[in-house]
Every structure is written in structure tokens, then in C-alpha cells.
Amino acid sequence: MTRGKYLLEDSRILWQVLTPVHRVLAIYNGNIYDLSDYLQTLADNNGGSGYSYLDGDIVAIYKQQPGQDITKSVDQVYASMDTNKALATKICLNNLFYILHRPNGLPKGCTMPIPNYLLLAFSALIALTIVAKCEFLSLSPA
């Protein structure tokens, strides 16, 4: 998946979790993280210790609350961890599992930051063009 800042509403995050190709996505501090490949690697290698590098409590939260905002739960786990381990886990998640940013300022259902008046203006322009073209065709000599 591509990394970067995209707009994604909550229902689309939940849809990704419920698709036949089960994705383990969750929101932490407004960012969306995907642990799907990590968990699949663990499953493919029978949970081999050489492949398990994330804290088990963090992974459990992702598994238990896919598609949801897990900020409070994860912060509680970070508070109980050693400071260095918590920082290393945050860096690891940001570098390897961060995929999208979900802005808090947009209302639910807003997927594109285009003001409604611009959409209305473009719709009116298209309608006016169609009406003008129909009038022009009806006035031309046959």
C-alpha cells in the first residue's frame, strides 16, 4: 500500500477490515496502521520468535479492535512499558506499518475537501452549457 496523507472516512476503514482479504487496520492518534502482513508472517512461521518483534499487548489490541480508534488502549500499554521500549515500538510502527492519515477536522462522510458551493457552481455551468447547446441546435437551419 502507498504511504502518505490521504483522507479516509471511518466506514471505509471498517470496510477494509471486513473484506474477504482480512486487513488488520486500526487508528492511533489520527494515523492508520496496517499490521496485516506482520500477522500473516507470524502465522506462516508458526509465531516464530525470529519474526516477532512487536509487543504482544499492542498486537493483541490491533487484533481485538480492527478498524477502530485504539489510541486510549495503546496509550495505556505504552504507559506501562519502559520508556525506551515504548519509543522503539512507536518508531517501528511509524516506519513499517503507517499507511494513511485520517484528519479529525473533516465531518464524517466527507471524502474530498471541495466546498459545496464549488460543486454547485460547476453543476450549474454544465447545465447551462447543455441548455445553450440545445437552444443553438433548435435555432440552426435544417
Side-chain angles (χ1 to χ4, degrees), residues 26-43:
I27 303 165
Y28 176 72
N29 278 342
N31 296 319
I32 302 171
Y33 296 89
D34 184 356
L35 266 61
S36 304
D37 294 336
Y38 174 77
L39 294 173
Q40 186 61 49
T41 300
L42 291 179

Side-chain angles (χ1 to χ4, degrees), residues 65-135:
Q65 301 176 41
Q68 299 176 34
D69 190 336
I70 59 169
T71 303
K72 290 179 184 176
S73 302
V74 171
D75 282 343
Q76 289 173 351
V77 173
Y78 283 149
S80 67
M81 281 184 181
D82 174 85
T83 308
N84 290 333
K85 184 177 179 182
L87 181 61
T89 303
K90 287 179 185 180
I91 291 171
C92 179
L93 285 170
N94 283 330
N95 289 339
L96 299 176
F97 303 107
Y98 167 81
I99 57 168
L100 298 170
H101 175 71
R102 191 199 80 186
N104 293 329
L106 291 175
K108 289 191 183 273
C110 180
T111 57
M112 239 170 112
I114 295 178
N116 288 339
Y117 63 85
L118 282 178
L119 294 175
L120 181 62
F122 285 124
S123 298
L125 181 64
I126 291 170
L128 184 61
T129 304
I130 292 171
V131 168
K133 188 167 186 163
C134 289
E135 288 295 321

